[in-house]
Amino acid sequence: MEFLVRFAHTHESFRLPELEALALLEGIEMTVLEYSLKSPFCLVKLPSVEAAQKLLKRSILAQSIHEFWGQGTTLSELHEDMRRRTEPQWLRYKDVTFKFAIDCYQGARSNTKKLSIINSFQFLPFEGSISLSSPDEVFTVFEVWEWNSVPLGIENPEKMFLGRLVGTSARETPQKYDLKKRGYISTTSMDAELSLVTANLALAAPGKLFYDPFVGTGSFPLACAHFGAECWGSDIDGMTLRGEGGRKSVRGNFEQYGLGPFFGGVFTADLTNSPIRLARIWDGVVCDPPYGVREGLRVLGLKDPTKTPWLVERGIQNAMAPDYVPPKKPYSFLAMLDDILVFASETLVDGGRLSFWMPTANDEEQEIAIPTHPCLELVSACIQPFYKWSRRLLTYRRLPDAEVSPAALQAYKARQSIGTTADELNPFRRGYFKKFEVDA
């Protein structure tokens, strides 16, 4: 069966990867027949109406899914295609209540013209009552218009579709988790919509264990918990985890949304000094690591322990004291990207997913390459553009050991950092403050 997915016209490069992730999660065989980033419509082939409803029930970027009844460049072509595709089905809807709707993408219709289009479907043998508030069936005419069609005075759309509504999405869910309504946030808290999309791409679901090594105020674990995953997190800044206590803490955020049972816990650690190593336990790792713009990236440790032996001794003596603050050393941005992939390769179960955000310049000469690891297969790379830079949401799948090349794994080495200052260690930070201007 063919179905038409109506996406929200936002985050265009994220839409299809989210849909493909949900098809995998639900065990649905899906074939994409037509799709373009320039259009909010996607034509797919699915086994049944029930499969279509399951596919969309937790989508954040889709709005609705419709049984595909026809298409054409004109209304008459649409009518003819409908007859060819669906005429044997028409009598099923003979006695139901129904309504017709018009959805104009990049265009506009007067109410008179909309009524004229709706009346053109009088050849359908529908004898039930029209119900605008609670119909049994909704039939929608979708129109795709040329960009700027209204000011240009364009009179007709480029393409028309007709679909019967069969399911809606979770498009309203981000409103529930809106940062403006959340009890505990910081300046780097990821917005609710993209947090939920990240959770979908990482296949968060009941019975799964998820972890965020840069947890902050808990935006990603909250999103994963919404879909039923049990979540843990860590952060180098213990004060951020504790907050003010009560509602003003990571745990408080979970309790605010009634997700307390899905809160596994949080602890203070950095990625390179984590107590979680060589344990294949996580079904998903999700995070938005620091970009090192406001201040240079840091990890626990000393730049040169031989020059400050007294700091080493103090750490040995006071490490367990509640007021002890361990020293930190500069950290390479590129090394951090490698360390994230290494950590995921060592802790994800077979088929588990890593989804993390990575900034880069838009200029090809300054663009930071997508990191790779022999144990991880890149599933999708979604892009959120800004002015002179973008951030990517990279999603990887942990390969089973039998599919990993021993030679490639043996040859893999973490990138070596060059330099000692914050700018030398972080090419993105250097480009950000130079406004991504290419050196002459």
Side-chain angles (χ1 to χ4, degrees):
M1 298 180 67
E2 294 181 5
F3 295 87
L4 187 70
V5 178
R6 207 309 185 186
F7 286 115
H9 199 54
T10 183
H11 301 308
E12 291 83 355
S13 70
F14 294 71
R15 299 182 307 198
L16 189 57
E18 186 199 37
L19 202 65
E20 291 171 335
L22 295 178
L24 178 64
L25 185 64
E26 298 291 347
I28 297 171
E29 184 177 347
M30 180 183 75
T31 303
V32 178
L33 302 177
E34 291 181 25
Y35 179 65
S36 169
L37 291 177
K38 297 179 180 179
S39 169
F41 302 108
C42 178
L43 188 61
V44 298
K45 186 176 181 180
L46 299 169
S48 66
V49 169
E50 292 72 24
Q53 293 167 340
K54 287 178 63 178
L55 176 67
L56 229 67
K57 67 182 180 181
R58 54 178 274 182
S59 172
I60 303 301
L61 298 178
Q63 292 179 342
S64 54
I65 189 164
H66 307 256
E67 185 181 58
F68 188 61
W69 275 39
Q71 64 180 330
T73 57
T74 65
L75 197 55
S76 60
E77 283 185 14
L78 173 59
H79 292 165
E80 185 60 33
D81 195 43
M82 283 176 55
R83 289 187 172 92
R84 181 179 62 83
R85 291 174 181 270
T86 63
E87 189 166 1
Q89 304 177 39
W90 293 353
L91 290 179
R92 296 181 193 174
Y93 309 101
K94 178 182 177 182
D95 299 317
V96 301
T97 61
F98 68 94
K99 81 170 182 179
F100 273 77
I102 310 290
D103 184 337
C104 301
Y105 173 65
Q106 296 184 159
R109 293 284 199 186
S110 67
N111 289 336
T112 301
K113 186 58 179 177
K114 288 181 180 179
L115 184 59
S116 174
I117 293 172
I118 292 171
N119 287 336
S120 73
F121 294 94
Q122 287 181 344
F123 61 88
L124 292 170
F126 296 170
E127 299 179 5
S129 302
I130 295 173
S131 173
L132 300 181
S133 58
S134 56
D136 296 324
E137 302 291 346
V138 178
F139 297 89
T140 305
V141 178
F142 296 99
E143 297 184 338
V144 180
W145 291 70
E146 185 180 333
W147 170 251
N148 250 6
S149 60
V150 175
L152 291 175
I154 296 172
E155 297 183 355
N156 296 301
E158 295 179 320
K159 201 167 189 179
M160 307 176 76
F161 307 98
L162 182 74
R164 181 180 70 88
L165 178 66
V166 297
T168 55
S169 69
R171 180 67 186 154
E172 76 289 344
T173 304
Q175 298 176 17
K176 175 181 177 181
Y177 295 95
D178 190 344
L179 294 181
K180 296 177 181 177
K181 305 172 185 176
R182 194 174 302 174
Y184 181 54
I185 63 171
S186 70
T187 56
T188 58
S189 295
M190 180 65 73
D191 75 79
E193 182 177 57
L194 290 176
S195 296
L196 290 160
V197 171
T198 302
N200 271 339
L201 287 172
L203 308 182
K208 292 188 175 185
L209 307 181
F210 270 65
Y211 174 68
D212 182 350
F214 305 94
V215 69
T217 59
S219 290
F220 290 117
L222 271 175
C224 296
H226 170 79
F227 293 120
E230 190 162 351
C231 302
W232 281 261
S234 64
D235 202 283
I236 194 172
D237 185 358
M239 292 180 63
T240 298
L241 301 181
R242 293 188 295 272
E244 299 175 15
R247 288 194 61 187
K248 299 288 186 178
S249 66
V250 177
R251 179 183 291 275
N253 281 341
F254 275 75
E255 292 174 350
Q256 176 182 345
Y257 297 107
L259 297 174
F262 300 100
F263 180 68
V266 291
F267 56 91
T268 304
D270 74 51
L271 189 68
T272 63
N273 294 276
S274 174
I276 303 172
R277 284 286 170 179
L278 301 177
R280 303 283 296 280
I281 57 174
W282 303 124
D283 296 286
V285 174
V286 290
C287 60
D288 181 24
Y291 304 160
V293 172
R294 290 180 297 173
E295 57 184 25
L297 296 173
R298 299 270 175 175
V299 291
L300 299 179
L302 297 169
K303 187 185 300 185
D304 187 353
T306 61
K307 293 183 178 180
T308 52
W310 60 276
L311 279 176
V312 176
E313 184 62 28
R314 188 172 71 177
I316 295 172
Q317 295 176 355
N318 302 328
M320 302 304 293
D323 59 348
Y324 175 68
V325 179
K328 300 178 179 66
K329 63 181 179 181
Y331 187 32
S332 165
F333 178 79
L334 298 179
M336 178 185 70
L337 299 181
D338 281 338
D339 287 340
I340 291 172
L341 267 62
V342 169
F343 177 85
S345 71
E346 294 176 348
T347 60
L348 284 173
V349 301
D350 288 352
R353 289 200 169 191
L354 163 67
S355 289
F356 78 97
W357 290 81
M358 186 194 91
T360 187
N362 292 338
D363 190 292
E364 291 183 2
E365 295 185 30
Q366 300 184 64
E367 186 177 4
I368 299 173
I370 293 175
T372 61
H373 190 283
C375 294
L376 300 172
E377 174 189 35
L378 182 67
V379 175
S380 62
C382 307
I383 302 173
Q384 182 186 21
F386 297 107
Y387 176 45
K388 289 190 175 182
W389 67 284
S390 303
R391 59 180 178 181
R392 301 177 178 135
L393 174 57
L394 305 177
T395 300
Y396 301 79
R397 179 178 73 94
R398 182 34 163 113
L399 297 171
D401 290 337
E403 297 180 17
V404 177
S405 166
L409 188 58
Q410 186 175 4
Y412 182 82
K413 294 180 180 180
R415 293 184 179 92
Q416 296 297 311
S417 61
I418 300 174
T420 57
T421 69
D423 279 352
E424 289 171 338
L425 292 172
N426 189 341
F428 177 76
R429 185 179 195 269
R430 182 172 63 250
Y432 185 92
F433 284 113
K434 287 186 175 182
K435 299 182 180 179
F436 297 103
E437 295 177 357
V438 179
D439 295 332

